[in-house]
């Protein structure tokens, strides 16, 4: 089984407002809902709410879990929410679809904490950064994440 992970799509991050990134993540949310797979929404404490375009698509979906973090690496919170989904659904989640901002920081650090326990597929168009997006993508490849 797989789950979608959305990292830091919040109002205080400029890169979260990129139209292409939002559109790609919304498409991933629609696919997750259609396939009835869990979604984990990760938020950086103190960086605003999840942006409206994303929040609107998460609202009222029965398989959404939220976690907060106070550093770039949100992997512990993701693992906690995944474990709760596994208990509720009675299925093991082995594959995570990763989206969010900022590619070279929060996305990369969270993936570093997840790559030993899960197969990771990073949706390149569903990630963005104000600074070093391509550098982040290359580093994600280097830790073993699949890039789609």
């Amino acid at each position: 089984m797989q789950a979608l992970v959305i990292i830091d799509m919040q109002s205080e991050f400029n890169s979260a407002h990129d139209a292409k990134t939002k559109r790609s993540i919304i498409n991933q949310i629609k696919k997750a809902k259609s396939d009835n797979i869990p979604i984990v929404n990760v938020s950086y404490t103190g960086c605003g709410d999840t942006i409206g375009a994303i929040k609107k698509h998460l609202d009222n979906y029965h398989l959404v879990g939220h976690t907060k973090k106070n550093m770039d690496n949100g992997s512990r919170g993701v693992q906690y929410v995944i474990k709760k989904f596994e208990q509720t659904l009675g299925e093991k989640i082995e594959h995570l679809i990763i989206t969010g901002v900022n590619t070279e920081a929060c996305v990369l650090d969270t993936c570093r904490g997840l790559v030993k326990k899960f197969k990771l597929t990073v949706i390149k168009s569903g990630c963005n950064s104000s600074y070093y997006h391509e550098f982040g993508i290359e580093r994600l490849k280097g830790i073993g994440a699949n890039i789609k």
Side-chain angles (χ1 to χ4, degrees):
M1 181 173 209
Q2 61 186 6
L4 174 64
V5 178
I6 303 168
I7 302 168
D8 298 346
M9 287 299 290
Q10 296 167 259
S11 58
E12 298 297 316
F13 293 113
N14 290 335
S15 48
H17 299 280
D18 177 74
K20 184 179 109 184
T21 305
K22 286 191 290 190
R23 193 170 38 253
S24 177
I25 292 173
I26 289 166
N27 286 339
Q28 291 299 318
I29 293 169
K30 288 178 179 177
K31 181 172 180 1
K33 289 164 102 175
S34 171
D35 294 345
N36 205 38
I37 67 167
I39 300 172
V40 180
N41 187 41
V42 181
S43 298
Y44 205 118
T45 302
C47 293
D49 294 328
T50 299
I51 60 171
I54 302 299
K55 186 177 181 327
K56 176 179 127 184
H57 288 277
L58 295 176
D59 283 349
N60 301 316
Y61 181 52
H62 67 290
L63 293 175
V64 174
H66 299 275
T67 185
K68 296 214 177 255
K69 62 189 179 88
N70 57 11
M71 57 185 174
D72 288 352
N73 182 348
S75 64
R76 283 189 184 168
V78 171
Q79 289 176 65
Y80 177 81
V81 173
I82 292 295
K83 186 176 221 165
K84 292 292 185 188
F85 279 131
E86 288 175 337
Q87 291 168 349
T88 301
L89 299 171
E91 287 187 61
K92 181 112 175 97
I93 296 172
E94 298 174 337
H95 182 198
L96 302 180
I97 309 300
I98 308 291
T99 63
V101 299
N102 286 303
T103 313
E104 79 288 353
C106 296
V107 173
L108 177 60
D109 286 348
T110 299
C111 286
R112 277 188 182 127
L114 297 171
V115 73
K116 290 182 181 174
K117 296 185 179 191
F118 302 95
K119 176 184 174 190
L120 303 178
T121 299
V122 176
I123 306 299
K124 185 175 180 180
S125 64
C127 291
N128 195 358
S129 178
S130 299
Y131 304 103
Y132 304 111
H133 176 65
E134 289 302 325
F135 172 79
I137 293 294
E138 290 305 311
R139 295 299 299 255
L140 286 160
K141 286 179 190 174
I143 66 166
N146 297 312
I147 309 299
K148 184 174 174 186

